[in-house]
Amino acid sequence: MNFFLETLKVLLLSIWYNVESFIHLFVPKKKKNIAGEVVLITGAGSGIGRLMALEFAARGTVLVLWDINQEGMKETARLAKNSGASRVHYYLCDCSDKNEVYRVADQVKREVGDVSILVNNAGIVTGKKFMDAPDSLIEKTMEVNTMAHFWTYKAFLPAMIANNHGHLVSIASSAGLIGVNGLADYCASKFAAVGFAESVGLELLALGKDGVKTTIVCPYFINTGMFDGCQTKWPRLMPILNPDYVAKKIINAVLTDQVYLLLPKSMYLITALKNILPMKQGILLGQYLGAFSLMDKFKGRALKQE
């Protein structure tokens, strides 16, 4: 294509996309109907996983729950049925084990059908300084927080591509956008999860499979117990997030095909500043926001998939 014409096209479309975004500040995007969709949520036995399951259930979906906590899944299943799910299935699955992911995925496809909304939510945190973290825990963090996404995509994405229909939801973290003192392995796993989801999303667009959507969720600390003890320096600017609020925002992002969801909203500005400020000023900002001391009083809880 002619250089001038292609440049003009980019400029005009850029103007339109910005106008469109401005309009949506006042006019909400239309929400899609997901009744009857098969939704698989990893780490569904508690926390955000359970709350998302209840939100999806209220919209008449078929739920598939994965976790290593059998009792937690049973309770989530009971609550989901009461919330309106058309059907609920639950399976014990250790997402850090590739072979188990593939085995349980095959079982799901036989017993339930093709998954059309995949929510990679399972996650763990060690909360230890890098040099204090045992190799086994570092490996486990990467296996659950990152590699599990590879295996679930491998298992369920082919059907979405064949149908040009589906939604891939990655529950990552603001620690996947900005490094945090005391969270080296966790940050590495979440940076990888964000990069993986972005790259696969671009692959799908390049293939012309625009019916398979991607949503990448990067929240600050959520009050689910996973980061118990962590303190935020400026609660008004960077609050510890309410789990119900986060779950509702995630479902809304899925229903409106929102690609990136950062919580709280201040994370959009902070992430942008991190990428444009000089390094020394960025470190100064990090100190001001408390990024160097967030994990000082970390307690967490026994390692489990959230």
Side-chain angles (χ1 to χ4, degrees):
M1 184 181 286
N2 180 279
F3 172 78
F4 172 76
L5 292 178
E6 188 163 346
T7 302
L8 181 62
K9 175 185 175 182
V10 168
L11 291 173
L12 291 176
L13 284 175
S14 295
I15 293 170
W16 164 242
Y17 292 151
N18 279 279
V19 170
E20 185 180 43
S21 295
F22 180 76
I23 291 172
H24 285 311
L25 292 175
F26 307 97
V27 181
K29 291 182 179 179
K30 182 180 179 181
K31 296 180 180 180
K32 63 186 180 184
N33 182 7
I34 58 172
E37 300 281 1
V38 178
V39 182
L40 188 151
I41 305 173
T42 67
S46 63
I48 290 296
R50 173 177 291 173
L51 294 172
M52 286 191 294
L54 300 185
E55 292 290 335
F56 277 117
R59 288 158 177 81
T61 60
V62 177
L63 282 176
V64 179
L65 313 176
W66 282 13
D67 206 294
I68 57 173
N69 180 351
Q70 179 88 355
E71 292 306 311
M73 277 196 298
K74 284 184 179 180
E75 179 62 12
T76 301
R78 183 188 69 80
L79 294 170
K81 289 176 182 176
N82 293 338
S83 295
S86 60
R87 284 184 289 145
V88 182
H89 306 260
Y90 57 91
Y91 302 83
L92 276 176
C93 184
D94 180 355
C95 291
S96 68
D97 185 333
K98 177 180 68 173
N99 293 328
E100 186 166 339
V101 168
Y102 286 164
R103 178 183 62 78
V104 180
D106 286 340
Q107 187 178 354
V108 168
K109 285 182 272 189
R110 287 195 309 270
E111 298 176 359
V112 185
D114 291 330
V115 169
S116 52
I117 300 178
L118 171 63
V119 185
N120 275 305
N121 168 71
I124 61 173
V125 60
T126 64
K128 295 181 180 295
K129 301 284 188 182
F130 172 63
M131 293 305 296
D132 297 330
D135 292 357
S136 59
L137 290 186
I138 292 174
E139 290 172 345
K140 194 72 169 179
T141 298
M142 299 304 295
E143 288 165 357
V144 175
N145 295 1
T146 306
M147 298 311 300
H149 296 209
F150 284 65
W151 316 140
T152 56
Y153 271 43
K154 283 273 190 177
F156 299 114
L157 185 55
M160 296 186 195
I161 292 175
N163 298 322
N164 193 24
H165 175 78
H167 207 125
L168 302 165
V169 185
S170 176
I171 308 302
S173 170
S174 60
L177 302 172
I178 299 174
V180 179
N181 176 41
L183 280 177
D185 56 345
Y186 185 79
C187 287
S189 70
K190 292 301 186 177
F191 266 82
V194 171
F196 173 68
E198 285 184 344
S199 296
V200 174
L202 292 175
E203 283 187 21
L204 293 168
L205 288 176
L207 287 172
K209 301 298 180 179
D210 57 355
V212 183
K213 307 299 184 181
T214 296
T215 294
I216 302 169
V217 183
C218 296
Y220 189 56
F221 295 144
I222 308 171
N223 187 23
T224 61
M226 190 174 180
F227 283 93
D228 273 357
C230 293
Q231 295 181 327
T232 184
K233 186 176 179 181
W234 308 115
R236 289 185 178 276
L237 179 64
M238 300 289 290
I240 302 295
L241 298 167
N242 177 277
D244 289 295
Y245 167 77
V246 175
K248 291 180 185 300
K249 295 294 286 187
I250 292 170
I251 302 307
N252 184 71
V254 172
L255 296 178
T256 57
D257 294 331
Q258 183 176 341
V259 178
Y260 299 100
L261 173 63
L262 278 60
L263 296 170
K265 288 185 178 180
S266 56
M267 281 307 307
Y268 291 100
L269 174 61
I270 292 168
T271 303
L273 290 174
K274 177 228 177 182
N275 292 322
I276 62 174
L277 292 177
M279 178 58 70
K280 289 182 179 179
Q281 190 176 355
I283 292 173
L284 180 65
L285 178 63
Q287 291 171 330
Y288 170 74
L289 294 174
F292 286 75
S293 57
L294 289 173
M295 298 295 293
D296 286 356
K297 297 183 180 180
F298 172 81
K299 297 176 183 176
R301 54 185 170 188
L303 279 181
K304 62 173 70 176
Q305 292 180 17
E306 275 290 296

